Coordinates of all heavy atoms in Angstrom, one line a residue:
V29 N 7.1 -6.4 4.6 CA 6.5 -7.7 4.3 C 5.6 -8.1 5.5 O 6.1 -8.1 6.6 CB 7.6 -8.8 4.1 CG1 6.9 -10.1 3.7 CG2 8.6 -8.5 3.0
G30 N 4.3 -8.3 5.1 CA 3.4 -8.7 6.1 C 3.2 -10.3 6.0 O 2.9 -10.8 5.0
F31 N 3.5 -10.9 7.3 CA 3.4 -12.4 7.3 C 2.2 -12.8 8.2 O 2.1 -12.2 9.3 CB 4.7 -13.0 7.8 CG 4.7 -14.4 8.0 CD1 5.0 -15.3 6.9 CD2 4.4 -15.0 9.2 CE1 5.0 -16.7 7.2 CE2 4.3 -16.3 9.4 CZ 4.6 -17.2 8.4
D32 N 1.5 -13.8 7.8 CA 0.5 -14.5 8.5 C 0.3 -15.9 8.2 O 0.4 -16.2 7.0 CB -0.9 -13.7 8.4 CG -1.8 -13.9 9.7 OD1 -2.3 -15.1 9.8 OD2 -2.1 -13.0 10.4
I33 N 0.1 -16.8 9.2 CA -0.1 -18.3 8.9 C -1.5 -18.5 8.3 O -1.7 -19.6 7.7 CB 0.2 -19.1 10.1 CG1 -0.9 -18.8 11.2 CG2 1.6 -19.0 10.5 CD1 -0.8 -19.7 12.4
N34 N -2.4 -17.5 8.4 CA -3.8 -17.8 7.8 C -3.8 -17.4 6.4 O -3.8 -16.3 6.0 CB -4.7 -16.9 8.7 CG -6.3 -17.1 8.3 OD1 -6.5 -17.6 7.2 ND2 -7.1 -16.9 9.3
K35 N -3.9 -18.4 5.5 CA -3.9 -18.2 4.1 C -5.1 -17.4 3.6 O -5.0 -16.5 2.7 CB -3.9 -19.6 3.3 CG -2.7 -20.3 3.4 CD -2.7 -21.6 2.7 CE -1.4 -22.4 2.8 NZ -1.4 -23.6 2.0
D36 N -6.3 -17.6 4.2 CA -7.5 -16.8 3.9 C -7.3 -15.3 4.2 O -7.7 -14.5 3.4 CB -8.7 -17.3 4.7 CG -9.1 -18.7 4.2 OD1 -8.8 -19.1 3.0 OD2 -9.8 -19.4 5.0
R37 N -6.6 -15.0 5.3 CA -6.3 -13.6 5.7 C -5.4 -13.0 4.6 O -5.7 -11.9 4.2 CB -5.7 -13.6 7.1 CG -5.2 -12.2 7.6 CD -6.4 -11.3 7.8 NE -6.0 -10.1 8.5 CZ -6.7 -9.0 8.5 NH1 -7.9 -8.9 7.9 NH2 -6.3 -7.9 9.3
I38 N -4.4 -13.7 4.2 CA -3.5 -13.1 3.2 C -4.2 -12.9 1.9 O -4.0 -11.9 1.3 CB -2.3 -14.1 3.0 CG1 -1.5 -14.2 4.3 CG2 -1.5 -13.7 1.9 CD1 -0.8 -12.9 4.8
N39 N -5.1 -13.9 1.5 CA -5.7 -13.7 0.2 C -6.7 -12.5 0.2 O -6.8 -11.8 -0.7 CB -6.5 -15.0 -0.1 CG -5.6 -16.1 -0.5 OD1 -4.5 -15.9 -1.0 ND2 -6.0 -17.4 -0.3
E40 N -7.3 -12.3 1.4 CA -8.3 -11.2 1.6 C -7.5 -9.9 1.4 O -8.0 -9.0 0.7 CB -8.9 -11.3 3.0 CG -10.0 -12.4 3.0 CD -10.5 -12.6 4.4 OE1 -9.9 -12.0 5.3 OE2 -11.4 -13.4 4.6
L41 N -6.3 -9.8 2.1 CA -5.5 -8.6 2.0 C -5.0 -8.3 0.7 O -5.0 -7.1 0.2 CB -4.4 -8.7 3.1 CG -4.8 -8.7 4.6 CD1 -3.6 -8.9 5.4 CD2 -5.5 -7.4 5.0
K42 N -4.6 -9.3 0.0 CA -4.2 -9.2 -1.5 C -5.3 -8.7 -2.3 O -5.1 -7.9 -3.2 CB -3.7 -10.5 -2.0 CG -2.3 -10.9 -1.4 CD -1.8 -12.2 -2.0 CE -0.5 -12.5 -1.5 NZ 0.1 -13.9 -2.1
D43 N -6.6 -8.9 -1.9 CA -7.8 -8.5 -2.6 C -8.2 -7.1 -2.1 O -9.2 -6.6 -2.6 CB -8.9 -9.5 -2.5 CG -8.6 -10.8 -3.3 OD1 -7.8 -10.7 -4.3 OD2 -9.2 -11.8 -3.0
G44 N -7.5 -6.6 -1.2 CA -7.8 -5.3 -0.6 C -9.0 -5.2 0.4 O -9.7 -4.3 0.6
I45 N -9.2 -6.4 1.1 CA -10.2 -6.5 2.0 C -9.7 -6.7 3.4 O -8.8 -7.7 3.7 CB -11.1 -7.7 1.7 CG1 -11.8 -7.5 0.3 CG2 -12.2 -7.9 2.7 CD1 -12.4 -8.7 -0.3
D46 N -10.1 -5.9 4.4 CA -9.7 -6.2 5.8 C -10.9 -6.5 6.6 O -11.8 -5.6 6.9 CB -9.0 -4.9 6.4 CG -8.8 -5.0 7.9 OD1 -8.7 -6.2 8.4 OD2 -8.7 -4.0 8.5
V47 N -11.2 -7.7 7.0 CA -12.4 -8.1 7.6 C -12.5 -7.6 9.0 O -13.6 -7.6 9.7 CB -12.6 -9.7 7.6 CG1 -12.8 -10.2 6.2 CG2 -11.4 -10.4 8.3
T48 N -11.4 -7.1 9.6 CA -11.4 -6.6 10.9 C -12.1 -5.2 10.9 O -12.5 -4.7 12.0 CB -10.0 -6.5 11.5 OG1 -9.2 -5.5 10.9 CG2 -9.3 -7.8 11.5
G49 N -12.1 -4.5 9.8 CA -12.7 -3.2 9.7 C -11.7 -2.1 10.2 O -12.2 -1.0 10.2
E50 N -10.5 -2.5 10.5 CA -9.5 -1.5 11.0 C -9.1 -0.5 9.9 O -8.8 0.7 10.1 CB -8.4 -2.1 11.7 CG -8.6 -2.8 12.9 CD -9.2 -1.7 14.0 OE1 -8.5 -0.8 14.3 OE2 -10.3 -2.0 14.5
L51 N -9.0 -1.1 8.6 CA -8.5 -0.3 7.5 C -9.6 -0.4 6.4 O -10.1 -1.4 6.1 CB -7.2 -0.8 7.0 CG -5.9 -0.6 8.0 CD1 -4.7 -1.2 7.3 CD2 -5.8 0.8 8.4
S52 N -9.7 0.7 5.7 CA -10.6 0.8 4.6 C -10.0 0.3 3.3 O -8.8 0.1 3.3 CB -11.0 2.3 4.3 OG -10.0 3.0 3.9
K53 N -10.8 0.0 2.3 CA -10.3 -0.5 1.0 C -9.3 0.6 0.4 O -8.3 0.1 -0.2 CB -11.5 -0.7 0.0 CG -12.2 -2.0 0.2 CD -13.0 -2.4 -1.0 CE -13.6 -3.8 -0.9 NZ -14.2 -4.2 -2.1
Q54 N -9.6 1.8 0.6 CA -8.8 2.9 0.1 C -7.4 2.9 0.8 O -6.3 3.0 0.1 CB -9.4 4.2 0.2 CG -8.7 5.4 -0.6 CD -8.6 5.1 -2.1 OE1 -9.5 4.7 -2.7 NE2 -7.4 5.2 -2.6
E55 N -7.4 2.7 2.1 CA -6.1 2.7 2.9 C -5.3 1.5 2.5 O -4.0 1.6 2.3 CB -6.5 2.6 4.3 CG -6.9 3.9 4.9 CD -7.4 3.8 6.4 OE1 -8.1 2.8 6.7 OE2 -6.9 4.7 7.2
L56 N -5.9 0.4 2.2 CA -5.1 -0.8 1.7 C -4.7 -0.6 0.3 O -3.5 -1.0 0.0 CB -6.0 -2.1 1.8 CG -6.3 -2.7 3.2 CD1 -7.2 -3.9 3.1 CD2 -4.9 -3.1 3.8
K57 N -5.5 0.0 -0.6 CA -5.0 0.3 -1.9 C -3.9 1.2 -1.9 O -2.9 1.1 -2.8 CB -6.2 1.0 -2.6 CG -6.0 1.1 -4.2 CD -7.2 1.7 -4.9 CE -6.9 1.9 -6.3 NZ -8.1 2.5 -7.0
N58 N -3.8 2.2 -1.1 CA -2.7 3.2 -0.9 C -1.5 2.5 -0.4 O -0.3 3.2 -0.6 CB -3.1 4.4 -0.1 CG -4.2 5.2 -0.8 OD1 -4.5 5.2 -1.9 ND2 -5.0 5.9 0.1
A59 N -1.6 1.4 0.2 CA -0.4 0.8 0.8 C 0.3 0.0 -0.3 O 0.3 -1.2 -0.5 CB -0.8 -0.2 1.9
T60 N 1.1 0.7 -1.1 CA 1.8 0.1 -2.2 C 3.2 -0.5 -1.9 O 3.7 -1.2 -2.8 CB 2.0 1.2 -3.3 OG1 2.7 2.3 -2.9 CG2 0.6 1.6 -3.8
N61 N 3.7 -0.2 -0.8 CA 5.1 -0.6 -0.4 C 5.1 -1.8 0.4 O 6.0 -1.9 1.3 CB 5.9 0.5 0.1 CG 7.5 0.3 -0.1 OD1 7.8 -0.4 -1.0 ND2 8.2 1.0 0.7
I62 N 4.1 -2.6 0.4 CA 3.9 -3.8 1.3 C 3.6 -5.0 0.5 O 2.8 -4.9 -0.5 CB 2.9 -3.5 2.4 CG1 2.8 -4.6 3.3 CG2 1.5 -3.2 1.8 CD1 1.9 -4.3 4.5
S63 N 4.0 -6.2 0.9 CA 3.6 -7.4 0.3 C 3.1 -8.3 1.4 O 3.5 -8.2 2.6 CB 4.8 -8.0 -0.5 OG 5.8 -8.3 0.4
Y64 N 2.2 -9.2 1.0 CA 1.6 -10.2 2.0 C 2.0 -11.7 1.7 O 2.0 -12.0 0.5 CB 0.1 -10.0 2.1 CG -0.3 -8.6 2.3 CD1 -0.8 -7.8 1.3 CD2 -0.3 -8.1 3.6 CE1 -1.3 -6.6 1.4 CE2 -0.7 -6.7 3.8 CZ -1.2 -6.0 2.7 OH -1.7 -4.7 2.9
T65 N 2.3 -12.4 2.7 CA 2.8 -13.7 2.4 C 2.5 -14.7 3.6 O 2.4 -14.3 4.7 CB 4.3 -13.8 2.0 OG1 4.6 -15.2 1.6 CG2 5.1 -13.4 3.2
T66 N 2.4 -16.0 3.3 CA 2.4 -17.1 4.3 C 3.8 -17.8 4.2 O 4.0 -18.8 5.0 CB 1.2 -18.1 4.0 OG1 1.4 -18.6 2.7 CG2 -0.1 -17.3 4.2
N67 N 4.6 -17.4 3.3 CA 5.9 -18.1 3.1 C 7.1 -17.4 3.9 O 7.4 -16.3 3.7 CB 6.2 -18.0 1.6 CG 7.5 -18.8 1.3 OD1 8.2 -19.4 2.1 ND2 7.7 -19.0 0.0
L68 N 7.5 -18.1 4.9 CA 8.6 -17.7 5.8 C 9.8 -17.2 5.1 O 10.6 -16.2 5.4 CB 8.9 -18.7 6.8 CG 9.6 -18.2 8.1 CD1 8.7 -17.2 8.9 CD2 10.0 -19.4 8.9
D69 N 10.1 -17.9 3.9 CA 11.4 -17.5 3.2 C 11.3 -16.1 2.6 O 12.4 -15.6 2.4 CB 11.5 -18.6 2.0 CG 12.0 -20.0 2.5 OD1 12.5 -20.1 3.6 OD2 11.7 -20.9 1.7
K70 N 10.1 -15.6 2.4 CA 10.0 -14.2 1.9 C 10.5 -13.2 2.9 O 10.6 -12.0 2.6 CB 8.5 -13.9 1.5 CG 8.0 -14.9 0.5 CD 8.5 -14.6 -0.9 CE 7.8 -15.4 -1.9 NZ 8.4 -15.2 -3.3
L71 N 10.8 -13.6 4.2 CA 11.2 -12.7 5.1 C 12.7 -12.6 5.3 O 13.2 -11.8 6.1 CB 10.5 -13.0 6.5 CG 9.1 -12.5 6.8 CD1 8.1 -13.0 5.8 CD2 8.7 -13.1 8.2
K72 N 13.4 -13.4 4.6 CA 14.8 -13.6 4.8 C 15.6 -12.3 4.6 O 16.6 -12.1 5.1 CB 15.4 -14.8 3.9 CG 15.0 -16.2 4.4 CD 15.6 -17.3 3.6 CE 15.4 -18.6 4.2 NZ 16.0 -19.7 3.4
N73 N 15.1 -11.5 3.6 CA 15.8 -10.2 3.3 C 15.4 -9.1 4.3 O 16.0 -8.0 4.1 CB 15.5 -9.8 1.9 CG 16.1 -10.7 0.9 OD1 17.1 -11.3 1.1 ND2 15.4 -10.9 -0.3

């Protein structure tokens, strides 16, 4: 579970966009076993 307080960052990642340029769209697309959230409760498990 990937957590960040920046909602825009989370929305971009959900759309497969990494504005830092570290990861390509394909690399993000291939990352199927990850979820992105700003909700702390999603980390309880």
Side-chain angles (χ1 to χ4, degrees):
V29 181
F31 175 87
D32 202 289
I33 60 173
N34 187 332
K35 291 181 180 179
D36 291 337
R37 175 66 167 163
I38 293 298
N39 290 333
E40 288 166 354
L41 292 173
K42 286 180 177 179
D43 290 336
I45 300 167
D46 174 25
V47 294
T48 71
E50 290 300 305
L51 296 179
S52 66
K53 279 195 171 186
Q54 191 59 50
E55 286 174 311
L56 285 177
K57 187 179 179 180
N58 292 341
T60 56
N61 204 25
I62 185 173
S63 59
Y64 305 105
T65 186
T66 58
N67 185 352
L68 199 64
D69 288 338
K70 299 288 186 180
L71 278 58
K72 286 183 175 180
N73 292 327

